Amino acid sequence: MDDLIVLIPCFNNEAGLIKTLSSIQDKVCVLVVDDGSYKKLDKQKLNYNLGELFLISLKKNSGVARALNAGLSWALENNYKYIARLDAGD
């Protein structure tokens, strides 16, 4: 398993998320946490091909801190040693 995962929280910003994913230039695993967006994210539409893409969705919007904590918990449960962070739209 890879040691590094990039954690990206996202709320109602699919276009920004796609832009952010396209800016990644190295093969790396990515975890997107959908923070209760009105329109659920479609993993296929995100078109990320440099590494594995994981997507978890929270039932309701609870803020970036909760989304990051959910992603951090998931990453630790899946034995990632290093966790980087990006915002959707960066």
Side-chain angles (χ1 to χ4, degrees), residues 3-9 28-29 31 68 82-86:
D3 285 340
L4 170 69
I5 194 160
V6 177
L7 173 57
I8 306 174
V28 62
C29 293
L31 171 60
L68 288 170
Y82 302 102
I83 303 165
R85 180 192 186 285
L86 280 174

Side-chain angles (χ1 to χ4, degrees), residues 23-41:
S23 74
I24 297 173
Q25 298 181 7
D26 291 324
K27 184 176 181 177
V28 62
C29 293
V30 172
L31 171 60
V32 174
V33 180
D34 180 356
D35 187 20
S37 295
Y38 303 125
K39 180 182 172 196
K40 295 299 176 197
L41 295 172

Side-chain angles (χ1 to χ4, degrees), residues 76-88:
L76 293 173
E77 288 171 9
N78 286 279
N79 300 314
Y80 284 92
K81 186 174 180 180
Y82 302 102
I83 303 165
R85 180 192 186 285
L86 280 174
D87 282 320

Side-chain angles (χ1 to χ4, degrees), residues 9-89:
C10 183
F11 175 68
N12 290 334
N13 191 5
E14 184 177 85
L17 178 58
I18 291 169
K19 179 181 174 184
T20 298
L21 290 172
S22 69
S23 74
I24 297 173
Q25 298 181 7
D26 291 324
K27 184 176 181 177
V28 62
C29 293
V30 172
L31 171 60
V32 174
V33 180
D34 180 356
D35 187 20
S37 295
Y38 303 125
K39 180 182 172 196
K40 295 299 176 197
L41 295 172
D42 181 355
K43 197 172 168 180
Q44 300 297 340
K45 288 175 77 177
L46 299 179
N47 196 30
Y48 180 71
N49 300 318
L50 290 177
E52 198 159 0
L53 176 67
F54 302 100
L55 175 63
I56 58 175
S57 296
L58 303 181
K59 292 183 180 188
K60 67 177 187 170
N61 177 254
S62 298
V64 68
R66 182 169 180 259
L68 288 170
N69 283 332
L72 180 60
S73 294
W74 185 96
L76 293 173
E77 288 171 9
N78 286 279
N79 300 314
Y80 284 92
K81 186 174 180 180
Y82 302 102
I83 303 165
R85 180 192 186 285
L86 280 174
D87 282 320

